[in-house]
Amino acid sequence: MDMDHKKSILLEQFASMSSVTYVGEKKYKPEVIVRAFEYFAVSRSLYSRLRDDFELPSIATLTRLTSKISNAYDDHDYIKNIFKNLKDERHKNCLILIDEVYVKPSLLYHGGSLFGNSVNKPGNLATTILSFMIYSLFGGPKYLCKVLPVYELDSDFLWDQTQLILKNLKDSGANVVSIICDNNRVNQSFLKKFSCVENWLTDNDIYLLFDF
């Protein structure tokens, strides 16, 4: 079975390296693109090194493909696939970094979808982008887990979204060591919602830190 799998990968590589393409034919088959995303999720630097030896889509191509995907994906499956590919158990220890960036309110049409409406208050255009980054420790990968357009972010919405990510990480076998965010009033109210035993250590052994 392993040999058949390896042979199929080699055949995909030969097909990708072929200089003969027909009108409407894609250079990379879906299997190659999916595998490329799996490699890239493990390590960006590793992926760049693999591209020196194998015919794989560029990082710009992967970015262009993901730019056409809305937040309708299944967060649980996405996070589970990331941690499934981590060979070193230490990499399952991770941090959650939360940040909010101000953007100019606008409505855009791209890839068959409308972008710009906030997810917490759909009747308003987003004024900020709320992002969650997962940072694996001991040299593991770091990646944006979720990006949400929001309008007038409040601690209740931030709490709900964080709890969803915490649940998905736990179900995927991850160990969240700390949650880190900026020291503004919304984040202060958000962190106060956690039940702590001492010194900003939650009863689930997660350290709550302001961005130092």
Side-chain angles (χ1 to χ4, degrees):
M1 181 63 70
D2 289 340
M3 284 301 298
D4 291 341
H5 175 67
K6 292 176 181 178
K7 287 179 180 177
S8 65
I9 293 178
L10 286 175
L11 290 174
E12 290 171 0
Q13 286 294 297
F14 284 130
S16 298
M17 289 186 291
S18 174
S19 59
V20 180
T21 57
Y22 301 97
V23 176
E25 183 182 12
K26 302 295 185 181
K27 180 177 181 180
Y28 300 107
K29 294 183 178 180
E31 294 82 2
V32 177
I33 294 176
V34 170
R35 191 174 297 109
F37 275 114
E38 290 178 348
Y39 294 155
F40 185 69
V42 175
S43 170
R44 184 187 182 100
S45 59
L46 172 62
Y47 187 76
S48 297
R49 180 66 183 85
L50 284 172
R51 291 195 70 244
D52 292 337
D53 300 330
F54 300 97
E55 189 67 29
L56 294 169
S58 66
I59 294 177
T61 298
L62 298 182
T63 302
R64 188 181 73 252
L65 291 174
T66 53
S67 70
K68 298 180 181 180
I69 302 174
S70 68
N71 276 309
Y73 60 77
D74 191 313
D75 296 340
H76 180 271
D77 290 343
Y78 174 70
I79 293 176
K80 187 176 181 180
N81 286 331
I82 293 291
F83 281 89
K84 181 182 69 176
N85 289 291
L86 298 181
K87 305 303 181 183
D88 191 334
E89 286 295 317
R90 298 180 303 168
H91 293 170
K92 295 184 178 180
N93 297 296
C94 62
L95 312 176
I96 298 179
L97 309 181
I98 303 174
D99 198 10
E100 187 182 12
V101 180
Y102 284 91
V103 295
K104 181 179 179 180
S106 61
L107 193 64
L108 302 174
Y109 178 80
H110 180 68
S113 301
L114 281 174
F115 297 89
N117 287 320
S118 63
V119 294
N120 60 330
K121 298 178 181 179
N124 297 279
L125 293 178
T127 54
T128 59
I129 299 297
L130 176 65
S131 61
F132 296 85
M133 174 174 277
I134 306 301
Y135 194 115
S136 293
L137 301 179
F138 302 100
K142 56 182 178 180
Y143 55 92
L144 276 174
C145 173
K146 197 165 192 176
V147 178
L148 297 170
V150 297
Y151 177 80
E152 295 183 351
L153 177 66
D154 58 57
S155 59
D156 291 333
F157 180 79
L158 181 55
W159 168 265
D160 291 340
Q161 295 300 317
T162 303
Q163 291 304 310
L164 287 174
I165 292 177
L166 284 172
K167 181 181 184 304
N168 290 333
L169 287 170
K170 182 179 179 181
D171 292 343
S172 301
N175 175 41
V176 179
V177 177
S178 177
I179 297 174
I180 303 175
C181 60
D182 291 335
N183 183 16
N184 56 47
R185 284 185 293 180
V186 171
N187 290 339
Q188 290 176 21
S189 299
F190 156 69
L191 294 182
K192 289 179 181 178
K193 292 179 178 293
F194 287 90
S195 176
C196 295
V197 290
E198 61 175 341
N199 297 330
W200 295 99
L201 174 65
T202 73
D203 51 11
N204 293 325
D205 294 326
I206 299 175
Y207 285 96
L208 306 178
L209 302 175
F210 290 121
D211 187 0
F212 48 84

